[in-house]
Amino acid sequence: MLKVFIVDDEAPAREELRYLLEQFFEVSVIGEAASGEEAIESVMQLEPDAVFLDIHLQDRDGVDVGQELLESMVRPPVIIFASAYEIHAVRAFETEAVDYIVKPFSEARLEKTVNRVRKMLRTMEAPMEAPAEAARFSEEQLQSLLQTVLADQQPRRVPVEKNGKIMLIDPNEIVFATLEGRYASIYTHCEQYATSFTLQELESRLSRQQFFRTHRAFIVNLAKTAELVPWFKGSIHLVMQDSRKTEVPVSRNVVKELKKRLGF
């Protein structure tokens, strides 16, 4: 049985990763932590085979937590870093991580990671062959870095709430999302749905190629934009392709990047 520990300061992310990992044969999630300090204490006590460690933790840098685990434990776990941003991949690999996965996670990508972890653990259990095997693994790891990290992360369905029911919607149906109170609301062509995600948590689940944060309170589906409207002092509004033709504000500091993403 492959014993796994999850570290992420966002509860929905932990729940999603736990669910996906437990779909694999002989994988057991033996614990979770929401902070770096809690992770270090629990991992040292439980001694899991592998740790899925988010890079962005509220109390500590995830890479530093991974480094401390590797240096402090006699038999350190295999480290797999996770983040919504692939730009941290090289730094993660410098910490001798076995893999780096980009949010939102896909089952197919996790399967590759689990197989890679099992391969590494078999190497550790064969001391006579370990040096040569480890060298080959390291070379393979570095060669496939860009392919694995930049691989297409297929967006999964998003859980939403309406009339007391929880439904799963295709991200392609989302026109825009906005912050209403503490949590994000999602708007499709004709419907509005509540979620249990903050806007930042929702953003981490959506494809960065398809969705864009126009404002601290708005995320839009670039494929669902209808027109740009000049606004006050160099800012613009986006008219969306929902039934209400909603106008979404665009902060001045992202106008240039938005125009680039839209192709002009």
Side-chain angles (χ1 to χ4, degrees):
M1 182 66 70
L2 180 64
K3 297 182 296 182
V4 172
F5 193 92
I6 297 172
V7 185
D8 197 305
D9 56 11
E10 296 180 352
R14 294 197 305 273
E15 293 169 4
E16 179 185 25
L17 184 54
R18 173 185 280 271
Y19 172 79
L20 290 172
L21 286 169
E22 290 182 341
Q23 306 309 302
F24 296 107
F25 179 65
E26 293 188 347
V27 172
S28 174
V29 179
I30 64 171
E32 300 179 4
S35 70
E37 292 303 321
E38 181 187 359
I40 291 172
E41 180 179 352
S42 297
V43 169
M44 288 183 173
Q45 178 181 356
L46 296 174
E47 297 185 341
D49 299 311
V51 174
F52 283 78
L53 178 56
D54 188 64
I55 284 183
H56 299 281
L57 300 173
Q58 291 185 356
D59 66 329
R60 289 192 59 177
D61 180 271
V63 174
D64 291 342
V65 172
Q67 187 67 53
E68 184 169 338
L69 290 173
L70 292 173
E71 294 175 351
S72 303
M73 299 180 68
V74 175
R75 186 181 179 276
V78 172
I79 302 292
I80 304 98
F81 284 107
S83 174
Y85 307 97
E86 59 269 6
I87 59 174
H88 301 285
V90 173
R91 181 165 170 252
F93 273 85
E94 289 174 349
T95 314
E96 300 180 11
V98 168
D99 207 347
Y100 179 99
I101 52 178
V102 180
K103 299 177 182 180
F105 310 125
S106 71
E107 188 172 349
R109 182 66 182 86
L110 279 177
E111 182 177 10
K112 292 180 181 179
T113 297
V114 169
N115 290 337
R116 181 169 289 181
V117 170
R118 285 175 172 152
K119 179 179 178 181
M120 174 59 83
L121 292 175
R122 286 195 299 269
T123 298
M124 292 176 177
E125 293 168 358
M128 295 300 293
E129 300 177 7
E133 288 296 325
R136 282 200 294 270
F137 184 88
S138 179
E139 181 180 358
E140 173 190 319
Q141 176 178 287
L142 293 173
Q143 288 176 347
S144 63
L145 173 60
L146 291 179
Q147 293 178 340
T148 55
V149 171
L150 300 177
D152 183 29
Q153 302 290 315
Q154 294 298 325
R156 292 176 301 282
R157 291 185 293 173
V158 178
V160 297
E161 302 171 17
K162 192 174 181 68
N163 298 328
K165 297 180 180 179
I166 296 179
M167 295 171 283
L168 297 173
I169 65 171
D170 187 327
N172 293 317
E173 295 180 21
I174 298 173
V175 177
F176 69 94
T178 186
L179 192 61
E180 297 183 353
R182 181 180 176 186
Y183 299 106
S185 288
I186 286 176
Y187 289 79
T188 61
H189 184 266
C190 297
E191 300 287 345
Q192 174 187 357
Y193 300 98
T195 79
S196 59
F197 301 113
T198 65
L199 202 62
Q200 182 178 356
E201 289 170 343
L202 179 62
E203 183 180 20
S204 73
R205 297 175 65 93
L206 299 173
S207 166
R208 287 167 299 284
Q209 286 72 43
Q210 183 176 357
F211 290 87
F212 187 83
R213 186 78 169 263
T214 64
H215 183 274
R216 63 177 181 82
F218 285 90
I219 298 171
V220 302
N221 184 343
L222 294 175
K224 301 288 187 180
T225 56
E227 61 181 291
L228 279 71
V229 179
W231 207 248
F232 185 65
K233 290 188 177 180
S235 65
I236 61 174
H237 278 196
L238 283 178
V239 179
M240 305 307 297
Q241 295 178 8
D242 59 329
S243 60
R244 300 165 295 278
K245 302 297 181 183
T246 303
E247 289 194 16
V248 171
V250 180
S251 298
R252 288 194 300 272
N253 62 325
V254 299
V255 168
K256 184 177 180 180
E257 176 62 21
L258 175 63
K259 289 182 175 180
K260 181 179 178 181
R261 292 284 298 276
L262 291 173
F264 63 91

